[in-house]
Amino acid sequence: MNSSSSSEKVSQVNHSPPHHQAHIDQVGQLYDRLLQAENDQITHKNHTIHKKLKFPQTKTYQNISDINDWLSHHLDLAGDAHILDAGCGVGGTLFSLLNQNRTGIGITLSPKQVEIARSAAAQLGLGSKVKFIQGSYDDAFEDTFDLVVSIEALTHSVELSESIKNLAQHLNPGGQIVLVEDMAKPEKKVDSIAEIFTKSWQLQKLYTTSDYQIGLGQANLELVKAVDLTTFVTARKWPIPLLKVMWQLIQRVPSNIKGAKDIFIGGLVLETLYAQGFMSYQVLIARKA
């Protein structure tokens, strides 16, 4: 099912539209800062920096501790699948999905993430099966794929439907696209503090579940499964006045010493939005006819 004869064939990406470039640069810098803040979580045994989930210790969730484990247990994936991770972080998702015959390509805006992912792949003996490149999921690829997975990455898209269309056109017939995202609930008016989250995390807007489903439809993809993992998200409700004061204070700090403090505050706001019932953590699995 592989579209390329060898995993040595790395996708070539084109430059993104000029009006997107400033946003792309900002998101890349955000990922670098976030990586620095979470560096202590990245070990040789754990290469994921996705949302922490708390699964119950039951037979159903045995050996499942994070979203990568969940995907490994639930995806129907051919043994020789060629995989694209759009927004790959430091490679954890690809590492968990690869086997003897599968190959993969990871793409991220962060050069630091690429560096760490390549090093980890070499240490794990996966250097011949997986490639990591710096670029945008809105760019064109030479390869086509049996699976495209994107975890907590499309939330940064400038035009969500166009990003999904671009990924969809690189799917082989019958191929799957899996989107895992923080999604606003369309039936609720999101709290005003959401603006802190969107600004701190460089989001164009807070996309809803409906936005993602519409995007899949416009890309001629059939939604075959939707799974709500919100119940496994640990969310604390922080005092809203405190969040607003913290945000105002951090805006006065020079950008060169701000570090990841604004990202941290944005994370507290996201937790609060979850605790208030405004957000959901969804897995959408769609297939190309």
Side-chain angles (χ1 to χ4, degrees):
M1 294 178 68
N2 288 1
S3 62
S4 57
S5 58
S6 168
S7 61
E8 293 296 327
K9 179 184 178 185
V10 179
S11 297
Q12 300 296 317
V13 294
N14 299 326
H15 292 295
S16 298
H19 64 285
H20 289 182
Q21 193 58 50
H23 175 71
I24 287 173
D25 292 342
Q26 290 173 344
V27 175
Q29 293 166 11
L30 179 142
Y31 285 163
D32 282 347
R33 288 156 54 205
L34 182 61
L35 182 63
Q36 183 178 8
E38 296 190 346
N39 191 55
D40 60 329
Q41 298 180 29
I42 303 170
T43 68
H44 297 311
K45 294 183 179 179
N46 179 20
H47 300 279
T48 181
I49 51 177
H50 300 308
K51 185 181 302 300
K52 292 182 179 179
L53 303 175
K54 187 175 183 179
F55 291 97
Q57 299 301 306
T58 63
K59 185 177 181 179
T60 302
Y61 298 102
Q62 188 175 4
N63 299 322
I64 298 180
S65 60
D66 58 31
I67 189 61
N68 293 337
D69 292 336
W70 191 94
L71 291 174
S72 297
H73 282 76
H74 289 83
L75 288 184
D76 180 17
L77 192 59
D80 62 345
H82 191 43
I83 306 167
L84 171 67
D85 186 351
C88 64
V90 295
T93 301
L94 277 177
F95 297 151
S96 68
L97 294 176
L98 294 180
N99 63 9
Q100 184 175 358
N101 296 313
R102 290 175 186 159
T103 55
I105 291 176
I107 185 168
T108 173
L109 295 174
S110 166
K112 292 183 180 178
Q113 289 183 345
V114 170
E115 180 182 355
I116 292 175
R118 287 175 177 171
S119 176
Q123 293 173 0
L124 293 169
L126 298 172
S128 64
K129 293 181 174 296
V130 63
K131 300 298 174 186
F132 294 98
I133 55 179
Q134 183 184 355
S136 168
Y137 45 60
D138 289 324
D139 293 334
F141 299 87
E142 286 186 352
D143 291 28
T144 58
F145 304 90
D146 304 302
L147 171 68
V148 172
V149 59
S150 184
I151 304 177
E152 301 169 24
L154 284 180
T155 187
H156 292 288
S157 173
V158 176
E159 298 174 5
L160 180 61
S161 61
E162 293 303 313
S163 296
I164 294 176
K165 283 180 182 178
N166 184 59
L167 294 175
Q169 71 180 5
H170 294 93
L171 276 177
N172 291 323
Q176 299 178 83
I177 185 168
V178 179
L179 307 181
V180 185
E181 294 288 350
D182 300 297
M183 302 183 188
K185 295 182 179 180
E187 71 277 10
K188 291 196 173 185
K189 184 178 180 181
V190 179
D191 195 292
S192 60
I193 60 167
E195 185 178 3
I196 297 177
F197 174 59
T198 57
K199 287 183 176 180
S200 62
W201 285 80
Q202 301 294 334
L203 308 183
Q204 296 295 296
K205 62 172 289 188
L206 198 55
Y207 292 116
T208 68
T209 309
S210 296
D211 291 328
Y212 285 93
Q213 292 176 341
I214 290 171
L216 292 171
Q218 291 177 341
N220 295 317
L221 297 170
E222 178 189 2
L223 181 63
V224 296
K225 193 172 186 179
V227 182
D228 189 341
L229 298 181
T230 309
T231 186
F232 306 123
V233 175
T234 301
R236 296 161 291 183
K237 187 175 182 180
W238 297 88
I240 292 177
L242 175 62
L243 294 174
K244 291 181 176 179
V245 169
M246 292 172 64
W247 176 249
Q248 291 170 355
L249 290 175
I250 199 63
Q251 299 316 298
R252 302 175 185 175
V253 177
S255 58
N256 61 328
I257 61 172
K258 186 180 295 185
K261 295 181 178 65
D262 53 343
I263 304 175
F264 172 74
I265 296 172
L268 298 184
V269 170
L270 180 58
E271 277 195 33
T272 302
L273 292 174
Y274 266 102
Q276 291 177 324
F278 291 114
M279 301 295 296
S280 64
Y281 196 63
Q282 301 280 339
V283 182
L284 302 182
I285 302 176
R287 190 178 300 274
K288 187 172 185 177

